[in-house]
Amino acid sequence: MMFKVFIDGGEGTTGLRLAQRLKQREDIELLAISSDLRKNVDARLEKIDQADVAFLCLPDAASREVAEAAKDCETKIIDTSTAFRCDPGWAYGFPELGPSYFHAIQESSRIANPGCHATGSIAVLAPLVKAQLIPADGLYTLTSLTGYSGGGKKMIASYENLHDQELDAPRIYALGQQHKHLPEILKYAELEQAPIFLPIVAPYYAGMLVTAGFRMPADLSLAAIRKLYADFFKDQAFITVVQSEEMPKMLGSNTLAGKDSLRIFICGNEERFTVSAQFDNLGKGASGAAIENMNIAMGLDPTTGLEL
């Protein structure tokens, strides 16, 4: 069966990557719009109405405008901005969080794609909070290393053209603890207070590593914590919990660049441990997750067209 897909905002990093990947699929017909109509809301709405699935790869305000204009449209819309991630009227596109999330993506016509930092942070925190091994009202610190592609076209250009030497080293940003991904981390990790969040952009193109540290709960071990995560993400094609015999000596933040999967690493000792989520900020953190959500929404195998 052939599905018609429209990408609104196809000139941005996520939109371009979506188009590049979907063009390779024989079951997808990409609906094009002329460059002179890319900012014409009526022309874009016509394309959305013609499509089975429409991706909104737009700034928050523009996404809200289009979504409101398309409120009576039956097309399945997947938004990649932060506009609707905490909106109860939209399904949150992280199916690995449980059957209710998967079914909501299947049944909803409005799906909010998670943020890249949020994907890693929630994968790290949610299993422990839901198992009540760490308190929901605890104050946690998350460190998130990312490649510069996550900053969009302007940041990519700043790194890939002549630049100041400061860009040759990792840099912490969002210093005011107001990062736009914090609301969804708070909501879907079921926390009662926002974590201390340290996003770090580094001089490589793609890849992400999100890490948090914890005290070991009484009478538990690293093996027990790994089992907890393995059970939580059981039978999930996109998320793997790495076992002790496979543990590397070092964790790289760009190891899964070009992949759509995510790996969980539990490291440490019997007193304290860390949990890390390793993935591609452009894969499971953006376009890969968007395609996974599209596949689920259209009743396809979630892994169709994706690279694990």
Side-chain angles (χ1 to χ4, degrees):
M1 183 175 180
M2 183 73 73
F3 297 103
K4 293 181 179 180
V5 174
F6 176 62
I7 301 172
D8 191 2
E11 300 303 309
T13 306
T14 299
L16 287 169
R17 192 170 176 89
L18 277 170
Q20 179 185 31
R21 304 180 77 175
L22 293 176
K23 283 178 182 176
Q24 301 174 23
R25 288 180 51 168
E26 296 181 355
D27 61 337
I28 299 294
E29 177 189 349
L30 280 177
L31 301 180
I33 190 167
S34 61
S35 58
D36 59 319
L37 294 176
R38 283 194 296 109
K39 295 186 178 181
N40 184 305
V41 174
D42 289 336
R44 289 149 59 200
L45 284 175
E46 184 178 345
K47 293 295 182 181
I48 291 172
D49 193 50
Q50 293 171 4
D52 297 298
V53 177
F55 293 97
L56 305 186
C57 302
L58 304 165
D60 287 11
S63 276
R64 291 190 183 99
E65 178 186 16
V66 172
E68 174 61 23
K71 63 183 179 181
D72 296 323
C73 179
E74 296 182 0
T75 299
K76 289 183 179 288
I77 295 177
I78 300 173
D79 181 62
T80 66
S81 77
T82 63
F84 303 106
R85 291 172 184 164
C86 294
D87 188 323
W90 289 61
Y92 189 62
F94 199 154
E96 293 84 5
L97 289 181
S100 64
Y101 288 85
F102 186 93
H103 294 317
I105 296 165
Q106 277 185 317
E107 297 166 5
S108 178
S109 63
R110 300 293 182 265
I111 301 161
N113 213 51
C116 54
H117 293 290
T119 294
S121 300
I122 295 165
V124 163
L125 289 168
L128 293 174
V129 176
K130 290 177 184 290
Q132 299 183 336
L133 291 183
I134 59 173
D137 62 354
L139 180 60
Y140 307 106
T141 298
L142 290 157
T143 302
S144 186
L145 282 162
T146 183
Y148 58 77
S149 59
K153 280 188 169 182
K154 289 185 178 179
M155 182 173 283
I156 292 170
S158 71
Y159 274 88
E160 296 188 346
N161 297 322
L162 289 174
H163 56 261
D164 186 276
Q165 67 176 7
E166 188 174 286
L167 272 66
D168 292 329
R171 297 181 296 155
I172 300 175
Y173 64 102
L175 300 179
Q177 290 299 305
Q178 295 294 320
H179 194 280
K180 64 182 182 179
H181 292 180
L182 281 171
E184 60 185 296
I185 295 171
L186 187 67
K187 179 174 182 177
Y188 297 105
E190 300 183 7
L191 297 178
E192 294 178 11
Q193 64 173 323
I196 297 169
F197 186 54
L198 299 174
I200 301 171
V201 61
Y204 64 93
Y205 186 74
M208 182 166 276
L209 186 72
V210 182
T211 301
F214 311 94
R215 290 186 182 276
M216 182 67 72
D219 301 322
L220 289 183
S221 63
L222 285 175
I225 299 296
R226 289 189 185 113
K227 184 178 186 305
L228 169 77
Y229 278 83
D231 289 344
F232 188 93
F233 293 115
K234 184 180 179 181
D235 299 326
Q236 298 295 341
F238 292 91
I239 298 182
T240 302
V241 179
V242 177
Q243 298 303 310
S244 60
E245 61 272 14
E246 306 170 278
M247 198 66 61
K249 292 183 178 179
M250 302 180 75
L251 292 181
S253 52
N254 66 347
T255 304
L256 291 186
K259 302 289 187 179
D260 298 303
S261 53
L262 183 151
R263 294 195 292 190
I264 299 284
F265 295 85
I266 292 98
C267 308
N269 54 47
E270 301 308 307
E271 295 180 355
R272 58 195 185 276
F273 66 99
T274 61
V275 184
S276 299
Q278 181 189 68
F279 56 107
D280 185 349
N281 58 289
L282 298 179
K284 183 60 173 164
S287 64
I291 293 172
E292 177 188 356
N293 286 320
M294 179 196 76
N295 289 338
I296 293 170
M298 302 311 293
L300 304 174
D301 182 325
T303 64
T304 304
L306 295 171
E307 183 63 46
L308 302 182

